Amino acid sequence: MKQLKFFFILLFFPVLLWGQNSLEGKMSPYTRHFLSMLKKSNDNPMSKERLEKSFVMRKEGNRIYVNAFVLLSKDADIEVLKSNEVQINTIANNIVTARIPVDVLETIASLPDVLRIDIGCPVKKKMDLARPLGNVDKVHQGVELEHGFKGKGVIVGIVDTGFEYGHINFYSPTEKSLRIKRVWDQNQSDGPLPDGFYYGAEYKTEKDILNAQYDLKDETHATHVTGIAAGSDYSGDYYGVAPESELALVAFSEVSRDNVSILDGVKYIFNYAEEENKPCVINLSLGSHTGPHDGSSMFDRVCDDLQGPGRILVGAAGNEGGTALHVSKYVHPTDTLKTFLSFPVGAKFGYIDFWGEPDQAYKIRLFVYNRNTRKMMFLSDDINASEENEVSYTLKNVNTDGAVGLIDIYTERNPLNNKTNAYIEAFFDVIGNGNYVGLFVMGDEGEVHGWIDGRGASFTDNYMPGWTIGDTDYTIGEIGGTGKRIITVGAYSSKDEFVNLSGTKKTSEHELCKIAGFSSLGPTSDGRMKPDVTAPGTVIISSFSDAVIDDSYYKGVMTQSIVVNNKSYYYGALQGTSMASPYITGVVATWLEANSSLTPEDVKSVLKKTSMKDEYTGNEENNIWGYGKIDAWKGLKEVINNFGTSISQADSPKDVILYQHWGTSGFSICFVNANTNVKISVFNTNGQIMYSSVLGNVSVAQEESIYLPFLNKGIYIVSVQGDKYNYISRVVL
């Protein structure tokens, strides 16, 4: 029997080695941590609790799924993934988003064409006086413009949670119809699936959208955000920045709150904009601090790829500008980074992510230190972060270990950016009196950056000389802040008081006109300026979902209720970069109305030229204010004058005048000067020809009226070509 057992081990030992080698570098530390916790959860109640708190999973039938980014080889056949019951959603070059059964996760990672799997990381949710501060009212009124701009013909997308779909703020005031044209609730398990996606439910008609009512009944974040960007309730002062835009909404919640689902939501909305042949801007008032903060994550790479002419993303910078959640140091063999972790009362846990420079090698070490005895009560091994390691420690006795809890450390050299990465999760039930948890980072010469994410956790030196204190630089979050093309928005204080429905006056601690104390700061870890711009973000009053009227917190910040057709609708005050971001989203929508082909780079160029500078922002761009405070009106004039004309202006007014027949599918062209061999063409924004007519010779003052009822509503390009002159303009049909 012993010989047989020995033979069995010999037979399988090479297989186990092959299996380990085939997975090396293929799964992120966070993914490997998930698999480890999943295996431990069957026997360890504490591990099961951490599993549910740290990771996003979804159970369907008897199987558990996780969302993931999958990096494939160039010639990979995705049918191989599908044959293993993997559901493919977004495809962007060689990166796909997928829902993978956890029981085949390692099998998928071992496939030759699979280069990398990153499972989704959890994300967090991050107008009366606000509009005039950014000169939005001038945009609406058309001051020094041919007409007002309110986002007509533009799709505003919102990926968020806490929608009341039927709020009065989302109706067209003139047509009395719902302006929400698409909803994808990612959490519904019954209902029609969106084309190309394998989860959630899609609502396409006004009836179905109104019947759905809400995505969640304990949240209003999304209703508030949508109202800021695009609310249209003119009965009061709280309508939004782009009140004539169309809305496409994606709802996520506790069962789909990861960055993979967010990316799918972005792709879904851009797909809809493509179908409708309309420009689109999407708001992401969401964030996370797991990742390299340099734009190299798979989320940032795909978002960069999805953006382009008429496809813009706007994101919140984050609300950690007042929390020292970042630490950094230029280390070398004789100079070590030494820092402590600080936990707020009642929340002794943290998700810690350290990144070095490309090709840099370093080691990391965790400890528990007693300040009174000046002795280490617990000291981990030196863990080489440039190699793939998985190390766990269980601290069982507060008297001998200094704390009771679990520490997990996962390391690798990330193949996407060649940076050394150490991901750490630390959960404590008890930390003894006078004891401090901390870490060392030591190694080759180079700069290391670390972030801690966990209900106010931070880095501190505990007033010990030679130790490194945390700071608020580099606190720009992943999702809304670190991509190379996304427009990242910080917040400044625009209002500091309000009166709630009970008549109680409430005040904000943020000083008017200054940067909000919570607004996260740049730069990114690769040195790019962030945020790009700032907008009003304190005490912003916008629509509230009626699902939260009995919530004690939300009830205290409600400011107004109105009754329409025997139904009550509510408004309330919130603050954060979550509120500043949709302000800019609405502004970009008005700019896209003027020029549907603006790129993210065009928008940043306009922001650089037109953002307001004052005594608070300083005269130079910086990592607090970006280019300055938004000036929507000045920016719109820059778009019209230097990036193309508004829809009813002529590029060559001396030769041709175009008259828009508003509310119809037609327009008229008046020829000021004669021309020969004239041809009129109409293109969609993708350059496809939709209509063509040869007029031949035209005379002075000749007028041609064109009606195109067969076209979908949207923005189109009108081209007039002739021997003597050419003309191009835009129309909304």
Side-chain angles (χ1 to χ4, degrees):
M1 181 65 71
K2 289 182 179 179
Q3 289 179 332
L4 179 61
K5 184 176 181 180
F6 181 67
F7 174 77
F8 186 82
I9 292 173
L10 286 177
L11 180 66
F12 278 87
F13 186 66
V15 176
L16 291 172
L17 285 179
W18 176 87
Q20 290 171 348
N21 290 336
S22 69
L23 295 179
E24 187 171 349
K26 285 195 165 190
M27 293 190 291
S28 67
Y30 188 73
T31 304
R32 289 187 283 122
H33 179 43
F34 166 73
L35 288 172
S36 176
M37 293 300 297
L38 187 68
K39 293 170 184 175
K40 294 177 182 177
S41 65
N42 293 327
D43 304 316
N44 189 324
M46 189 173 181
S47 293
K48 184 176 181 180
E49 180 183 348
R50 288 178 60 197
L51 181 74
E52 294 172 350
K53 180 179 289 188
S54 302
F55 303 98
V56 181
M57 299 170 288
R58 183 164 185 155
K59 187 174 183 180
E60 292 186 5
N62 295 321
R63 302 189 84 176
I64 297 174
Y65 291 80
V66 289
N67 290 329
F69 293 103
V70 182
L71 178 67
L72 301 171
S73 62
K74 289 184 178 180
D75 299 322
D77 182 2
I78 63 172
E79 294 302 321
V80 176
L81 299 181
K82 293 180 180 179
S83 67
N84 283 276
E85 300 183 69
V86 174
Q87 299 171 355
I88 304 297
N89 293 299
T90 297
I91 301 175
N93 295 321
N94 63 328
I95 298 176
V96 302
T97 66
R99 302 183 74 219
I100 305 176
V102 297
D103 53 295
V104 299
L105 189 58
E106 290 177 288
T107 301
I108 299 303
S110 68
L111 295 173
D113 283 336
V114 173
L115 304 181
R116 178 80 169 178
I117 293 179
D118 286 358
I119 69 166
C121 296
V123 298
K124 300 176 182 177
K125 298 179 294 291
K126 299 287 180 217
M127 293 287 302
D128 51 341
L129 294 178
R131 284 193 315 275
L133 280 174
N135 280 331
V136 170
D137 283 352
K138 289 185 177 181
V139 172
H140 289 178
Q141 295 160 9
V143 176
E144 297 180 15
L145 302 167
E146 188 168 327
H147 58 79
F149 289 77
K150 299 181 180 181
K152 187 177 181 66
V154 179
I155 294 171
V156 168
I158 307 289
V159 183
D160 214 306
T161 182
F163 291 104
E164 180 191 350
Y165 303 124
H167 198 287
I168 193 68
N169 213 14
F170 309 145
Y171 277 85
S172 168
T174 54
E175 300 174 8
K176 305 300 181 185
S177 60
L178 192 66
R179 292 167 46 235
I180 302 173
K181 303 304 179 184
R182 285 291 187 278
V183 169
W184 178 20
D185 188 338
Q186 294 182 338
N187 309 288
Q188 291 298 319
S189 56
D190 55 346
L193 295 172
D195 289 342
F197 298 92
Y198 291 89
Y199 62 105
E202 181 183 37
Y203 308 121
K204 293 184 176 182
T205 68
E206 181 171 322
K207 179 181 178 181
D208 288 344
I209 293 170
L210 292 177
N211 284 341
Q213 293 186 289
Y214 319 94
D215 62 316
L216 287 179
K217 292 188 176 181
D218 59 357
E219 183 55 79
T220 190
H221 190 268
T223 304
H224 197 269
V225 164
T226 307
I228 295 169
S232 53
D233 176 15
Y234 290 111
S235 66
D237 294 325
Y238 306 128
Y239 55 91
V241 180
E244 293 185 4
S245 60
E246 296 180 17
L247 292 168
L249 312 179
V250 173
F252 74 96
S253 70
E254 291 304 305
V255 295
S256 65
R257 55 185 171 89
D258 59 52
N259 54 353
V260 178
S261 297
I262 304 308
L263 192 283
D264 284 343
V266 170
K267 184 64 165 63
Y268 168 81
I269 295 172
F270 279 159
N271 284 352
Y272 171 64
E274 198 74 21
E275 292 172 11
E276 294 295 303
N277 187 30
K278 293 179 180 179
C280 179
V281 54
I282 299 174
N283 183 78
L284 301 176
S285 288
L286 308 161
S288 165
H289 281 288
T290 301
H293 291 68
D294 64 359
S296 68
S297 70
M298 282 205 256
F299 178 90
D300 282 344
R301 290 179 182 216
V302 176
C303 283
D304 286 346
D305 287 342
L306 292 178
Q307 293 177 84
R311 301 289 182 266
I312 313 291
L313 288 178
V314 177
N319 297 332
E320 291 81 35
T323 304
L325 59 78
H326 169 262
V327 69
S328 65
K329 184 179 177 68
Y330 195 88
V331 301
H332 52 78
T334 60
D335 195 1
T336 295
L337 168 62
K338 302 178 291 184
T339 191
F340 294 101
L341 312 181
S342 175
F343 302 104
V345 176
K348 296 180 176 64
F349 68 90
Y351 310 98
I352 306 155
D353 210 18
F354 267 88
W355 294 80
E357 294 182 2
D359 299 319
Q360 182 187 12
Y362 65 82
K363 295 180 180 180
I364 197 160
R365 198 171 200 183
L366 275 289
F367 62 81
V368 179
Y369 174 79
N370 184 277
R371 181 70 181 264
N372 299 321
T373 63
R374 299 184 180 181
K375 292 182 179 180
M376 294 291 180
M377 301 191 69
F378 163 78
L379 190 62
S380 77
D381 299 321
D382 287 344
I383 300 166
N384 188 344
S386 59
E387 297 176 352
E388 195 167 286
N389 286 300
E390 302 178 13
V391 184
S392 296
Y393 297 96
T394 301
L395 282 60
K396 298 180 179 180
N397 190 312
V398 70
N399 295 318
T400 57
D401 298 329
V404 176
L406 297 173
I407 299 172
D408 293 309
I409 306 170
Y410 294 79
T411 65
E412 70 162 0
R413 186 178 297 281
N414 187 291
L416 297 178
N417 54 27
N418 205 33
K419 292 183 176 182
T420 302
N421 176 215
Y423 177 79
I424 304 160
E425 284 196 8
F427 280 72
F428 299 99
D429 288 332
V430 179
I431 299 176
N433 290 332
N435 295 341
Y436 301 128
V437 179
L439 56 84
F440 300 124
V441 179
M442 51 269 182
D444 293 349
E445 187 172 348
E447 189 166 27
V448 293
H449 290 271
W451 292 267
I452 185 169
D453 202 355
R455 290 188 187 175
S458 60
F459 295 103
T460 180
D461 61 359
N462 280 325
Y463 305 102
M464 292 178 62
W467 292 68
T468 302
I469 191 171
D471 58 58
T472 57
D473 294 335
Y474 300 91
T475 51
I476 288 287
E478 295 273 347
I479 307 296
T482 56
K484 291 181 168 62
R485 305 189 79 184
I486 194 169
I487 311 301
T488 303
V489 187
Y492 70 88
S493 180
S494 53
K495 187 175 180 178
D496 61 358
E497 63 181 29
F498 66 96
V499 177
N500 68 12
L501 282 176
S502 300
T504 302
K505 183 178 179 180
K506 296 200 170 187
T507 60
S508 167
E509 69 276 19
H510 304 286
E511 190 173 343
L512 285 176
C513 301
K514 290 187 175 182
I515 197 74
F518 53 74
S519 189
S520 287
L521 311 178
T524 60
S525 65
D526 59 329
R528 287 174 290 119
M529 183 193 76
K530 287 288 181 175
D532 296 298
V533 70
T534 58
T538 62
V539 192
I540 303 296
I541 298 177
S542 181
S543 36
F544 262 35
S545 170
D546 65 13
V548 300
I549 58 175
D550 294 324
D551 180 279
S552 58
Y553 171 75
Y554 287 128
K555 197 170 186 177
V557 294
M558 287 183 184
T559 60
Q560 183 183 32
S561 66
I562 63 173
V563 178
V564 179
N565 295 328
N566 297 318
K567 176 174 169 52
S568 296
Y569 299 94
Y570 297 89
Y571 290 83
L574 295 176
Q575 60 186 21
T577 57
S578 281
M579 284 63 251
S581 178
Y583 190 105
I584 298 299
T585 298
V587 169
V588 172
T590 65
W591 294 357
L592 285 170
E593 180 185 352
N595 185 329
S596 62
S597 300
L598 289 176
T599 66
E601 292 70 31
D602 293 336
V603 172
K604 291 183 182 184
S605 175
V606 172
L607 293 173
K608 183 174 184 177
K609 291 181 180 179
T610 65
S611 294
M612 291 185 280
K613 304 286 197 305
D614 60 21
E615 60 184 296
Y616 304 105
T617 66
N619 294 324
E620 302 295 330
E621 59 195 55
N622 56 67
N623 289 305
I624 300 173
W625 294 91
Y627 293 120
K629 297 176 179 177
I630 185 66
D631 189 328
W633 177 61
K634 192 174 180 181
L636 178 58
K637 291 196 292 182
E638 172 71 14
V639 169
I640 292 172
N641 293 331
N642 295 314
F643 287 88
T645 63
S646 68
I647 54 176
S648 59
Q649 286 181 314
D651 292 333
S652 304
K654 65 179 181 179
D655 296 319
V656 174
I657 298 175
L658 184 145
Y659 298 97
Q660 175 78 54
H661 299 170
W662 293 105
T664 75
S665 56
F667 58 92
S668 293
I669 294 176
C670 179
F671 293 90
V672 177
N673 294 313
N675 204 345
T676 57
N677 294 320
V678 174
K679 179 181 179 181
I680 297 177
S681 302
V682 178
F683 301 85
N684 65 19
T685 54
N686 295 320
Q688 297 171 306
I689 189 165
M690 311 302 292
Y691 169 84
S692 180
S693 175
V694 176
L695 299 182
N697 299 335
V698 296
S699 58
V700 174
Q702 181 174 331
E703 184 169 323
E704 296 290 331
S705 294
I706 297 173
Y707 291 91
L708 305 171
F710 55 88
L711 293 181
N712 293 327
K713 292 181 179 180
I715 293 178
Y716 292 83
I717 311 300
V718 176
S719 170
V720 178
Q721 293 179 307
D723 293 335
K724 297 182 179 180
Y725 57 80
N726 297 322
Y727 166 87
I728 189 168
S729 188
R730 296 168 182 82
V731 293
V732 176
L733 301 178

